[in-house]
Amino acid sequence: MIVAVASGKGGTGKTTVSTSLALVAAEKGKVCFLDCDVEEPNAHIILKPRLSGQEAVRVRVPVIEQERCTLCGRCADVCAFHALVVLPQEVMVFSPMCHGCGGCWHLCPAGAIHPGWREIGQMEEGECGKIRFVHGRLKVGEAMSPPLIRAVKQRAQAGALNIVDAPPGTSCPVVAAVEGADFCLLVTEPTPFGLHDLELAWEMVSQLGIPCGVVVNRSDGRDEPVEEFCRTRNLPLLMRLPLDRDVARGYARGIPPIAVHPAWKGHFRELLHAISERAGLKCAKS
Ligand code: SF4
Ligand code: SF4
């Protein structure tokens, strides 16, 4: 089973929830934690895995053989991403804009383009207790995160609970992280910004046809707008974590909330149970 943990905005406590869920689930079974927030992976600060493997993740880019090029301009015409510019004396490649579709090297009439490689980041993996841990680290300044996210997700383990920590927001990297999940947890906070971005995230997940539920983090007892939103969308509100200074202090030092308040483990066990029931329903229907 794959459970994605997402949020419409950053700073809602997505990683707090995903790591605590993994720690509680690992008490009973096999867990694989996939940190797909590749621009700012930080789950390792809480889970503290012993990393044992590293692998470069690369994407295809065109390499121009200028001697064979006739400057016909066909490659620039077919590139939907404007990654190629035909100048009077050469073809220039803007690699960071290339999506590796292969159109240019397949259609170059002179056979002057060959596929090369460009590294976009690193994937690291290891163990933290019973949890298999994988995360991606996108190179600084790199914009092409979906291939790295997909590479991390390919490490999902059969027969395990695979927890995907998605990037915040609702853009392409988030879609790459959550697509294919059996269930998506949407973590929000009881603020107008939290509610606004929860709505965007819910729309995205709904378009992908993934069943989802909501977790309110830092609940201050004034969650009515989120409750109303969930009620009108028939969206289950699965857990509330209260605003708690000790938890915030612990988080700042890389300590998960269930270590600060062991009684909170019960909340996460119930959350896990609710997810299993809902994801199971979806699996049974499909
Ligand atoms: S399509 Fe091939 S021959 Fe034409 S400009 Fe591009 S690289 Fe040169
Ligand atoms: S591989 Fe595709 S995206 Fe990249 S430069 Fe060629 S046509 Fe453009």
Side-chain angles (χ1 to χ4, degrees):
M1 179 164 74
I2 300 176
V3 175
V5 183
S7 62
K9 72 185 274 297
T12 58
K14 175 176 57 63
T15 302
T16 303
V17 171
S18 61
T19 51
S20 296
L21 199 61
L23 290 165
V24 166
E27 291 175 350
K28 288 269 170 74
K30 215 168 137 187
V31 176
C32 179
F33 192 94
L34 304 162
D35 190 351
C36 291
D37 191 357
V38 298
E39 283 187 55
E40 298 174 60
N42 57 10
H44 64 283
I45 296 170
I46 292 179
L47 293 177
K48 302 176 180 59
R50 190 140 37 96
L51 297 172
S52 52
Q54 192 180 52
E55 185 181 316
V57 176
R58 303 178 300 168
V59 292
R60 288 289 198 183
V61 286
V63 176
I64 313 289
E65 206 180 321
Q66 304 287 353
E67 304 75 43
R68 294 179 78 167
C69 172
T70 61
L71 301 171
C72 69
R74 182 138 170 83
C75 53
D77 290 345
V78 301
C79 183
F81 303 100
H82 308 293
L84 294 162
V85 176
V86 181
L87 300 173
Q89 292 182 343
E90 64 171 329
V91 176
M92 281 188 72
V93 181
F94 293 89
S95 298
M97 294 165 75
C98 170
H99 282 55
C101 71
C104 56
W105 58 78
H106 285 299
L107 294 172
C108 170
I113 309 182
H114 308 289
W117 292 104
R118 182 169 68 86
E119 185 178 323
I120 58 167
Q122 295 278 328
M123 192 164 56
E124 295 177 317
E125 50 195 313
E127 313 282 340
C128 35
K130 289 185 186 165
I131 303 172
R132 180 84 191 137
F133 180 91
V134 187
H135 71 183
R137 287 181 181 277
L138 196 69
K139 279 176 95 170
V140 173
E142 175 60 58
M144 200 69 64
S145 64
L148 178 55
I149 290 169
R150 285 191 278 269
V152 172
K153 284 177 70 184
Q154 277 175 5
R155 291 292 203 268
Q157 293 190 318
L161 170 64
N162 294 283
I163 297 178
V164 172
D165 193 0
T170 53
S171 57
C172 297
V174 190
V175 173
V178 304
E179 66 184 354
D182 297 298
F183 193 85
C184 185
L185 265 186
L186 299 173
V187 182
T188 189
E189 60 183 20
T191 65
F193 299 109
L195 181 59
H196 175 266
D197 294 346
L198 170 64
E199 183 162 4
L200 295 176
W202 170 74
E203 282 176 12
M204 174 204 65
V205 174
S206 300
Q207 295 237 354
L208 292 171
I210 301 170
C212 56
V214 172
V215 170
V216 180
N217 189 31
R218 294 193 288 270
S219 169
D220 56 1
R222 288 175 288 183
D223 309 336
E224 294 87 0
V226 177
E227 286 170 8
E228 177 65 12
F229 175 82
C230 291
R231 204 166 27 246
T232 53
R233 270 77 174 178
N234 201 19
L235 188 57
L237 204 169
L238 299 175
M239 187 174 76
R240 292 170 215 255
L241 291 175
L243 185 63
D244 187 293
R245 274 184 180 274
D246 291 335
V247 167
R249 278 195 206 98
Y251 186 76
R253 290 161 50 209
I255 301 170
I258 55 171
V260 177
H261 296 307
W264 284 22
K265 281 188 180 183
H267 301 321
F268 282 94
R269 287 192 192 109
E270 284 168 21
L271 177 64
L272 203 54
H273 182 68
I275 291 170
S276 308
E277 281 194 329
R278 286 171 168 80
L281 275 179
K282 181 242 178 183
C283 292
K285 279 184 199 158
S286 59

